[in-house]
C-alpha cells in the first residue's frame, strides 16, 4: 500500500500515536506520518476527528479512523496478510482487550497523577502504581505462558497497548527518583520491556528518555 493512501496524524511523544505506528510497522504498511504541533490542532485533524479533536487519526484513502486501540484493530483486520496482532482465539482476544482496558482506564491515570499531584497525592499514586505493576507482572506470566511477549512469540495487541507507555514510564521514574520496572519486583516485565524496545517494529519509535524528559519539562512547566 502506497504511503499516499495511508496517513497517520500524530506527534512523536504521544504513546497513543506510538500504538498505531507499531501496528503499521508490524504489517509493513507504507504510510505518511503527519505530525501535529503541540498545543495546536490542524484543519485536517479537526476535519478528521470532529468529535474528540485529538490524535491519533489514521486516514485510509479518504476515510478517517480514530482512537488508538480501534486503529490497531483496524490495521490488523485490513492488512490481514501480515502477522496477526490480535489473538485468533476468541477467549485470548477478550483477555487481551480486558487488560488493554485496564491499562488505559486504571494504570495510565496513575502515571498521570504522579506528574500532577501534590506531595501526598504523588506518594499515594506511586504506591498504587507499584501495585499496578505487580498486577501486570502476574498478568504477563499467565498470558505469555513462558513466551517472549504477551502475544506469544511476537508482539501482539496487549504488548502494543502497554509498551507504548514505556518511554513515559522511564521519564516518570527519572523525574521522581523511583523504580517501577524493577528487577526484584517485576523481573519478567523488565525483560519483556527490553525485548519489546529492541523489536524491529518498535525501534526508532519509542522516544529516548532524555529527549522525552526535556519535552515533558517544557510542556508542563508553569506558565
Amino acid at each position: 500500500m502506497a504511503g499516499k493512501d495511508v496517513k497517520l496524524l500524530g506527534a512523536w511523544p504521544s504513546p497513543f500515536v506510538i500504538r498505531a505506528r507499531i501496528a503499521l510497522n508490524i504489517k509493513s504498511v507504507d504510510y505518511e506520518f503527519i505530525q501535529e504541533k503541540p498545543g495546536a490542532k490542524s484543519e485536517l485533524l479537526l476535519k478528521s476527528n470532529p468529535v474528540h479533536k485529538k490524535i491519533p487519526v489514521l486516514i485510509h484513502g479518504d476515510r478517517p479512523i480514530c482512537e488508538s486501540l480501534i486503529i490497531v484493530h483496524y490495521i490488523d483486520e485490513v492488512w490481514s496478510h501480515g502477522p496477526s496482532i490480535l489473538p485468533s482465539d476468541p477467549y485470548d482476544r477478550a483477555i487481551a482487550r480486558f487488560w488493554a482496558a485496564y491499562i488505559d482506564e486504571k494504570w495510565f491515570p496513575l502515571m498521570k497523577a504522579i506528574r500532577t499531584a501534590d506531595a501526598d497525592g504523588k506518594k499515594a499514586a506511586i504506591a498504587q502504581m507499584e501495585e499496578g505493576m505487580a498486577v501486570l507482572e502476574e498478568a504477563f506470566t499467565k498470558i505469555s505462558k513462558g513466551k517472549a511477549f504477551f502475544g506469544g512469540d511476537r508482539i501482539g495487541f496487549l504488548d502494543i497497548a502497554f509498551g507504548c507507555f514505556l518511554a513515559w514510564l522511564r521519564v516518570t521514574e527519572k523525574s521522581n527518583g523511583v523504580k517501577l520496572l524493577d528487577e526484584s519486583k517485576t523481573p519478567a516485565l523488565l525483560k519483556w520491556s527490553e525485548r519489546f524496545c529492541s523489536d524491529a517494529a518498535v525501534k526508532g519509535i519509542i522516544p529516548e528518555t532524555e529527549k522525552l524528559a526535556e519535552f515533558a519539562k517544557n510542556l508542563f512547566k508553569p506558565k
Side-chain angles (χ1 to χ4, degrees):
M1 180 66 70
K4 65 181 181 181
D5 295 323
V6 183
K7 298 179 175 65
L8 180 65
L9 308 185
W12 66 268
S14 168
F16 303 104
V17 173
I18 287 170
R19 287 175 172 174
R21 296 183 70 189
I22 293 172
L24 288 165
N25 280 357
I26 287 173
K27 296 290 187 173
S28 299
V29 178
D30 185 21
Y31 67 98
E32 180 183 358
F33 185 34
I34 303 174
Q35 295 215 47
E36 294 284 315
K37 295 180 180 178
K41 298 180 187 294
S42 69
E43 289 186 16
L44 182 58
L45 174 60
L46 296 175
K47 176 184 176 183
S48 302
N49 190 359
V51 176
H52 296 298
K53 302 179 177 65
K54 64 181 183 180
I55 53 175
V57 178
L58 181 74
I59 303 176
H60 185 196
D62 59 354
R63 299 181 298 179
I65 301 95
C66 307
E67 297 297 306
S68 63
L69 293 180
I70 293 174
I71 290 171
V72 172
H73 195 166
Y74 178 86
I75 290 168
D76 194 34
E77 290 188 329
V78 171
W79 289 280
S80 57
H81 59 276
S84 295
I85 295 174
L86 280 122
S88 57
D89 180 79
Y91 177 78
D92 292 341
R93 198 157 56 241
I95 293 299
R97 286 173 174 151
F98 170 85
W99 283 106
Y102 168 82
I103 288 164
D104 280 2
E105 297 169 12
K106 300 292 184 182
W107 184 87
F108 177 60
L110 289 173
M111 190 161 64
K112 290 176 65 177
I114 292 173
R115 184 181 65 235
T116 58
D118 59 21
D120 290 338
K122 192 184 297 286
K123 185 177 180 180
I126 289 173
Q128 292 178 63
M129 188 77 161
E130 290 173 337
E131 292 175 7
M133 294 301 294
V135 169
L136 288 170
E137 172 83 0
E138 183 178 358
F140 175 77
T141 301
K142 290 181 179 179
I143 295 170
S144 68
K145 300 174 184 176
K147 295 187 176 181
F149 300 101
F150 283 98
D153 292 321
R154 61 169 66 97
I155 288 174
F157 184 74
L158 188 50
D159 297 282
I160 295 172
F162 185 32
C164 70
F165 293 114
L166 284 173
W168 281 104
L169 184 62
R170 291 168 184 156
V171 170
T172 301
E173 291 178 326
K174 177 181 175 66
S175 59
N176 292 277
V178 296
K179 202 67 178 171
L180 297 167
L181 269 177
D182 183 79
E183 189 171 2
S184 63
K185 296 179 180 179
T186 57
L189 279 182
L190 181 61
K191 291 178 181 178
W192 163 81
S193 70
E194 294 169 353
R195 290 191 294 269
F196 180 84
C197 292
S198 297
D199 191 88
V202 179
K203 278 185 176 180
I205 294 178
I206 300 292
E208 296 178 0
T209 303
E210 294 297 332
K211 182 180 178 181
L212 189 60
E214 187 63 26
F215 171 84
K217 180 181 177 181
N218 293 327
L219 183 65
F220 302 116
K221 66 182 179 182
K223 297 181 180 180

